[in-house]
Amino acid sequence: MIDLLQYEFMRRALIAAVLVGLITPVIGTYLVQRRLALLGDGIGHVALTGVALGLLTGTSPVLTAALVSMVGAVLIEVVRVRTRTSGDVALALLFYGGIAGGVLLIGLTPGAGNATLTGFLFGSVSTVSEEDLWVVAVLALGVAAVVAVFGRELFVLCQDEEVARAHGLPVRFLSVLLAVTAALTVVIAMRVVGLLMVSALMIVPVVAAQQLTRSFRVTMSLAVVIGLLSSLGGLGTAFYADLAPGATIVLLALGVFVVAVVVGGVLRRASGRRGAVARTPVVAAAAGTMPESDPGRVNR
């Protein structure tokens, strides 16, 4: 891993990987809890329009992607609440519109071709500039601040929207806030894993952690550890084996999920056996204290 620090672009890539590994599972925990696992995919496609807009106007693609993604996140909630359209349909509308707009604008951008599109779709850490890194760092701090301030309210919202409303929480505001925060998280991770795979890094570490834990807080903490190890491990593996970083990171996270499923199953079976053994003496003792009945007499 020390060899990576010899190259300036890899030092920037490592910082970006750390930010991605720390932030994405935090928001992913809320999304999984609220059954919005595909929200990251939809926003990722909307972010592609923002990237293309930045390339077309000569501004920072990361910054324009953040702005367009936040607008798209708000539109998802507006369409879901204001119309009769369900959440998954509203997400699909922005899903298709976002990728179509992105492809169209990239086609209008001079000098932008398939290589540019591929870099944003599948990740290209070697092209992370110092400007991109500063924008990503500021966005990461913003996401962390939102979770620090509204974490409890978002937890109640994700558990049960009706309960949150009954407690007087601003459900609509919190829903929009969660969607916007997820949009910023997508933009944070797009340079490392790509827009098409960013949702995997938000969801897979959380699902892996759920195989081993039950508490919301512990699940989030373990998911952050898994996300960080997957980001750094995948980036290092990709560097030495000359592989695509985004795909390597996601596959490593999926490998951790498989291991967590196996370990979780073993632990649950062992716990079940210990519980059965613990109950057996109690049953036997209870049986030994039962009075013996006379077969010829009816007990009352």
Side-chain angles (χ1 to χ4, degrees):
M1 186 65 73
I2 298 179
D3 296 342
L4 301 179
L5 302 178
Q6 297 178 359
Y7 303 94
E8 184 178 356
F9 76 93
M10 285 305 300
R11 289 197 293 268
R12 293 195 297 266
L14 284 171
I15 295 174
V18 169
L19 294 174
V20 168
L22 291 174
I23 294 297
T24 50
V26 173
I27 302 304
T29 305
Y30 290 105
L31 296 182
V32 170
Q33 195 69 26
R34 209 181 180 200
R35 295 176 177 83
L36 291 175
L38 295 179
L39 181 63
D41 272 330
I43 294 177
H45 287 73
V46 175
L48 180 61
T49 299
V51 169
L53 184 61
L55 295 174
L56 182 62
T57 58
T59 56
S60 171
V62 177
L63 187 57
T64 53
L67 295 175
V68 173
S69 297
M70 288 190 291
V71 172
V74 173
L75 287 177
I76 290 176
E77 284 299 315
V78 170
V79 172
R80 184 180 67 87
V81 174
R82 298 282 185 179
T83 68
R84 296 182 179 179
T85 306
S86 60
D88 57 340
V89 175
L91 189 60
L93 293 175
L94 263 71
F95 186 101
Y96 301 130
I99 195 168
V103 172
L104 179 65
L105 292 178
I106 285 181
L108 297 175
T109 304
N114 291 333
T116 303
L117 182 61
T118 302
F120 283 100
L121 289 178
F122 301 104
S124 180
V125 292
S126 62
T127 62
V128 177
S129 64
E130 187 174 349
E131 180 187 1
D132 292 337
L133 197 58
W134 277 108
V135 174
V136 168
V138 171
L139 294 177
L141 287 175
V143 172
V146 168
V147 174
V149 175
F150 297 100
R152 292 181 179 273
E153 290 81 358
L154 291 175
F155 169 75
V156 177
L157 174 71
C158 294
Q159 290 293 319
D160 193 315
E161 186 172 311
E162 295 301 323
V163 172
R165 187 174 285 107
H167 281 78
L169 296 179
V171 171
R172 185 169 301 178
F173 166 75
L174 291 174
S175 298
V176 172
L177 181 65
L178 180 61
V180 169
T181 307
L184 294 179
T185 306
V186 168
V187 176
I188 291 169
M190 73 176 183
R191 280 309 229 168
V192 177
V193 295
L195 292 172
L196 292 185
M197 294 184 287
V198 63
S199 184
L201 202 55
M202 296 171 69
I203 303 304
V204 175
V206 178
V207 179
Q210 285 182 334
Q211 309 304 312
L212 304 172
T213 63
R214 293 184 179 180
S215 165
F216 182 88
R217 189 183 299 273
V218 176
T219 296
M220 180 182 291
S221 301
L222 182 58
V224 168
V225 173
I226 295 173
L228 184 60
L229 293 179
S230 298
S231 296
L232 293 178
L235 185 60
T237 302
F239 176 79
Y240 289 110
D242 193 20
L243 300 172
T248 306
I249 291 171
V250 172
L251 288 176
L252 184 58
L254 288 171
V256 174
F257 167 73
V258 173
V259 173
V261 169
V262 175
V263 173
V266 171
L267 292 177
R268 284 190 291 272
R269 285 195 294 270
S271 177
R273 285 196 295 268
R274 285 196 298 269
V277 171
R279 288 192 298 269
T280 300
V282 176
V283 174
T289 58
M290 291 292 291
E292 294 183 2
S293 60
D294 187 346
R297 186 178 61 187
V298 178
N299 294 323
R300 296 186 181 183

